[in-house]
Amino acid sequence: MAELDTSGGGKKGGGKVRSKKASTRVDLTAMVDLAFLLITFFILTTTLQKPKAMDLTMPDKDEKNDQLPVPASRTMTVLLGSGNKLEWYIGEPGKSAPTKESFGKSGIRKTLLEKGAEILAKSGKTMIVLIKPSDKSTYADMVTMMDELNIVNNQQRAIVDITPMEIDLLKRDGIY
């Protein structure tokens, strides 16, 4: 809204007749209201951070337990322990000694790449990774392990319950 000031300047009496000077004043109240409405609208309708989700396909929980036989020579088992530590072994538990490892480029990622290439060269098929989180491992460790498998492009993986014998292996090496 704008107002027009038509006051004469305060002189009363004789003298020359002068034209009145008109001064304008713009009322910005409506403009400020509109600006705050627009700011409020955009704050409430924008998405600050999109939720991140990992696609994970799990089998149906049914009564029959149809498991396909998996050759132990193609299977790498990763045991997640406490303190961002893990152990891995290839084959069956107890028949091959587990190796302590850490996460990262020079840790489990390097091992996954090397062992995957070895198994592919020997059998002509890709490596199957079994991930077994323990009670002492964290959700972040599980997500990190899945990220490592995505980085090395391993498509054959499974999340499996840890056995008491594997918990004993973790306890023996001090990462349970």
Side-chain angles (χ1 to χ4, degrees):
M1 300 286 192
E3 292 181 6
L4 191 58
D5 187 14
T6 58
S7 65
K11 286 189 178 179
K12 296 193 181 193
K16 288 186 175 179
V17 176
R18 295 188 182 176
S19 64
K20 296 179 181 177
K21 293 185 180 180
S23 66
T24 58
R25 185 175 81 80
V26 178
D27 185 15
L28 296 176
T29 305
M31 183 78 82
V32 171
D33 287 345
L34 180 64
F36 277 112
L37 282 173
L38 286 172
I39 289 171
T40 305
F41 172 77
F42 286 117
I43 286 174
L44 293 177
T45 59
T46 189
T47 327
L48 297 178
Q49 183 177 12
K50 297 202 185 265
K52 297 176 184 175
M54 181 185 326
D55 292 331
L56 187 62
T57 307
M58 299 293 284
D60 292 334
K61 289 271 187 185
D62 55 355
E63 295 303 319
K64 54 184 176 177
N65 195 2
D66 295 335
Q67 292 184 354
L68 298 174
V70 178
S73 60
R74 285 182 46 207
T75 305
M76 174 188 235
T77 304
V78 178
L79 307 173
L80 300 178
S82 64
N84 297 331
K85 300 286 183 193
L86 61 97
E87 283 187 348
W88 63 269
Y89 61 88
I90 293 180
E92 297 176 21
K95 293 187 179 179
S96 61
T99 305
K100 276 183 158 180
E101 199 73 68
S102 62
F103 292 105
K105 187 163 89 171
S106 61
I108 191 67
R109 189 180 314 165
K110 181 179 175 187
T111 303
L112 287 169
L113 288 170
E114 291 172 354
K115 296 300 178 184
E118 285 178 20
I119 290 172
L120 185 63
K122 285 180 186 175
S123 66
K125 295 183 181 180
T126 59
M127 177 174 65
I128 301 168
V129 179
L130 301 177
I131 305 166
K132 297 187 176 186
S134 69
D135 296 341
K136 305 294 183 185
S137 65
T138 62
Y139 179 73
D141 290 344
M142 181 68 186
V143 171
T144 304
M145 188 62 210
M146 295 299 282
D147 287 342
E148 294 291 342
L149 290 171
N150 284 337
I151 290 170
V152 300
N153 200 20
N154 180 288
Q155 298 301 317
Q156 293 189 332
R157 60 185 95 155
I159 301 171
V160 186
D161 291 332
I162 194 165
T163 63
M165 184 168 65
E166 291 165 335
I167 290 175
D168 291 338
L169 289 174
L170 290 174
K171 285 180 182 177
R172 180 193 72 192
D173 294 333
I175 59 173
Y176 183 72

Coordinates of all heavy atoms in Angstrom, one line a residue, residues 72-74 90 114-127:
A72 N 32.2 -75.9 -0.1 CA 33.0 -75.2 0.9 C 34.2 -74.5 0.3 O 34.7 -73.5 0.8 CB 33.5 -76.2 2.0
S73 N 34.7 -75.0 -0.8 CA 35.9 -74.3 -1.4 C 35.6 -73.0 -2.1 O 36.5 -72.2 -2.3 CB 36.5 -75.3 -2.5 OG 35.5 -75.5 -3.5
R74 N 34.3 -72.7 -2.3 CA 33.9 -71.4 -2.9 C 33.3 -70.5 -1.8 O 32.9 -69.4 -2.1 CB 32.8 -71.6 -3.9 CG 33.2 -72.2 -5.2 CD 32.1 -72.3 -6.2 NE 31.2 -71.1 -6.2 CZ 29.9 -71.2 -6.6 NH1 29.3 -72.3 -6.9 NH2 29.2 -70.1 -6.6
I90 N 37.9 -69.5 4.8 CA 37.3 -70.2 3.6 C 37.1 -71.6 3.9 O 38.0 -72.3 4.4 CB 38.2 -69.9 2.4 CG1 38.2 -68.4 2.0 CG2 37.7 -70.8 1.2 CD1 39.0 -68.0 0.9
E114 N 41.2 -60.4 -3.5 CA 42.2 -61.5 -3.8 C 41.6 -62.9 -3.8 O 41.8 -63.6 -4.7 CB 43.3 -61.4 -2.8 CG 44.2 -60.1 -2.9 CD 45.2 -60.0 -1.8 OE1 45.1 -60.8 -0.8 OE2 46.0 -59.0 -1.8
K115 N 40.8 -63.2 -2.7 CA 40.2 -64.5 -2.6 C 39.2 -64.7 -3.7 O 39.0 -65.9 -4.2 CB 39.6 -64.7 -1.2 CG 40.7 -64.7 -0.1 CD 41.7 -65.7 -0.3 CE 42.8 -65.7 0.8 NZ 43.9 -66.6 0.5
G116 N 38.4 -63.7 -4.0 CA 37.5 -63.8 -5.1 C 38.1 -64.2 -6.4 O 37.6 -65.0 -7.2
A117 N 39.3 -63.5 -6.7 CA 40.0 -63.8 -7.9 C 40.6 -65.3 -7.9 O 40.5 -66.0 -8.9 CB 41.1 -62.8 -8.1
E118 N 41.1 -65.7 -6.7 CA 41.6 -67.1 -6.6 C 40.5 -68.1 -6.9 O 40.7 -69.1 -7.6 CB 42.2 -67.3 -5.2 CG 43.5 -66.6 -5.0 CD 44.0 -66.8 -3.5 OE1 43.5 -67.8 -2.9 OE2 44.8 -66.1 -3.1
I119 N 39.4 -67.9 -6.2 CA 38.3 -68.9 -6.4 C 37.7 -68.9 -7.8 O 37.4 -70.0 -8.4 CB 37.2 -68.6 -5.3 CG1 37.7 -68.9 -4.0 CG2 35.9 -69.3 -5.7 CD1 36.8 -68.5 -2.8
L120 N 37.7 -67.7 -8.4 CA 37.2 -67.7 -9.8 C 38.2 -68.4 -10.7 O 37.8 -69.1 -11.7 CB 37.0 -66.2 -10.2 CG 36.5 -65.9 -11.6 CD1 35.0 -66.5 -11.7 CD2 36.5 -64.4 -11.9
A121 N 39.5 -68.2 -10.5 CA 40.5 -68.9 -11.3 C 40.5 -70.4 -11.1 O 40.6 -71.2 -12.1 CB 41.9 -68.4 -11.0
K122 N 40.2 -70.9 -9.9 CA 40.2 -72.3 -9.6 C 38.9 -73.0 -10.1 O 39.0 -74.0 -10.8 CB 40.3 -72.6 -8.1 CG 41.7 -72.4 -7.5 CD 41.7 -72.7 -6.0 CE 43.0 -72.4 -5.4 NZ 42.9 -72.5 -3.9
S123 N 37.8 -72.4 -9.8 CA 36.5 -73.1 -10.1 C 35.8 -72.5 -11.3 O 34.8 -73.2 -11.8 CB 35.6 -73.1 -8.9 OG 35.2 -71.8 -8.6
G124 N 36.1 -71.4 -11.7 CA 35.4 -70.7 -12.8 C 34.0 -70.1 -12.3 O 33.3 -69.6 -13.1
K125 N 33.8 -70.1 -11.0 CA 32.6 -69.6 -10.5 C 32.9 -68.5 -9.4 O 34.0 -68.5 -8.9 CB 31.7 -70.7 -9.8 CG 31.2 -71.7 -10.9 CD 30.3 -72.7 -10.2 CE 29.8 -73.7 -11.3 NZ 29.0 -74.7 -10.7
T126 N 32.0 -67.7 -9.1 CA 32.2 -66.6 -8.2 C 32.2 -67.1 -6.7 O 31.6 -68.1 -6.4 CB 31.2 -65.4 -8.3 OG1 29.9 -66.0 -8.1 CG2 31.3 -64.8 -9.7
M127 N 32.8 -66.3 -5.8 CA 32.8 -66.7 -4.4 C 31.5 -66.3 -3.8 O 30.9 -65.3 -4.1 CB 34.0 -65.9 -3.8 CG 34.1 -66.0 -2.3 SD 35.6 -65.2 -1.6 CE 35.2 -63.5 -1.9

